[in-house]
Amino acid sequence: MAAELDGTGLRDEVDAAYRRFLDVNQAFLSLCTDWQMCPNPEDPGAEPVVNDHTDLVYDGMVIDRLGETDAAVSRCVRRWPGSWAASGTTATG
């Protein structure tokens, strides 16, 4: 893949897109964790517990963040596939 990037002249564009994605990836990973885990309702200062999805307010806040995170990730990745596709290069070679 490195040779393909060098051959197409897209290395800088793909590297920049990847770095933009890394900036939002942590927010996405946190979102996934927050969907699976939630504050302990008996002791909010304790370790999180498995989210049983009975707290609709908490789940609603996580879902709201999903839309925000999706928009941020989409902005990162939609910039380079067109150039990549136009080059005739595929991720598998």
Side-chain angles (χ1 to χ4, degrees), residues 8-88:
T8 61
L10 295 174
R11 178 179 288 280
D12 290 342
E13 185 177 350
V14 172
D15 183 64
Y18 177 68
R19 291 183 188 286
R20 285 189 303 271
F21 173 75
L22 287 178
D23 288 341
V24 297
N25 188 48
Q26 189 57 50
F28 178 69
L29 293 173
S30 293
L31 176 69
C32 292
T33 298
D34 291 346
W35 182 252
Q36 296 169 354
M37 306 295 289
C38 65
N40 185 333
E42 296 174 16
D43 184 0
E47 290 291 317
V49 296
V50 173
N51 187 356
D52 63 6
H53 302 288
T54 57
D55 183 343
L56 300 180
V57 172
Y58 177 83
D59 281 358
M61 290 187 304
V62 175
I63 290 169
D64 288 345
R65 287 176 37 222
L66 177 61
E68 296 164 8
T69 303
D70 177 62
V73 170
S74 293
R75 283 191 300 274
C76 290
V77 298
R78 87 169 67 116
R79 290 183 183 177
W80 67 271
S83 298
W84 188 264
S87 74

